[in-house]
Amino acid sequence: QVQVVESGGGLVEPGGSLRLSCVASRSIFNINAMTWHRQAPGKQRELVAIINSGGSTNLADSVKGRFTISRDSAKNTVFLQMNSLKPEDTAVYYCSAQLRHSDGKIYPYWGQGTQVTVSS
């Protein structure tokens, strides 16, 4: 029902910044929520940020004050602005579009991921 594609990852020094982009194949007004998750080596995938169709946002405690999730609805795109990056932010970052199916359950559609490496 929807495809998402992430971009913007790369190598950055501690204290630096990156902006990730996620483009959806349909209007994000018709998507219940879009999320950013990350998975570091040897760890489980964790939620980083979420934005719902009305524009409200939530951030994980570990990134509050450093990361911001936002959207450009006209371009079907969400962003993750990452500032003051730390080595522990190193991970593959995944975008998802969360859709409510006819059975009432919400199902995530994942992108392919983009690598973020924070190292000196």
Side-chain angles (χ1 to χ4, degrees), residues 11-117:
L11 175 65
V12 65
E13 293 187 351
S17 298
L18 285 173
R19 188 180 73 163
L20 307 183
S21 299
C22 174
V23 181
S25 64
R26 61 183 292 179
S27 172
I28 61 176
F29 288 120
N30 301 122
I31 300 172
N32 284 66
M34 297 189 70
T35 75
W36 287 100
H37 288 69
R38 66 187 181 187
Q39 188 164 18
K43 297 184 178 180
Q44 293 186 323
R45 189 172 298 186
E46 64 174 347
L47 176 67
V48 175
I50 184 168
I51 184 167
N52 70 16
S53 61
S56 63
T57 63
N58 289 103
L59 295 167
D61 288 343
S62 60
V63 303
K64 285 181 179 177
R66 300 189 298 121
F67 291 11
T68 303
I69 186 170
S70 61
R71 69 184 183 186
D72 184 343
S73 298
K75 297 182 180 295
N76 295 348
T77 302
V78 298
F79 304 98
L80 186 68
Q81 178 66 48
M82 305 185 296
N83 300 324
S84 302
L85 283 161
K86 304 175 181 179
E88 52 263 44
D89 295 317
T90 295
V92 178
Y93 283 71
Y94 297 91
C95 180
S96 82
Q98 299 192 352
L99 299 181
R100 186 178 298 278
H101 289 184
S102 59
D103 62 4
K105 297 180 179 179
I106 297 176
Y107 186 85
Y109 294 81
W110 296 100
Q112 82 289 343
T114 185
Q115 176 71 48
V116 172
T117 302

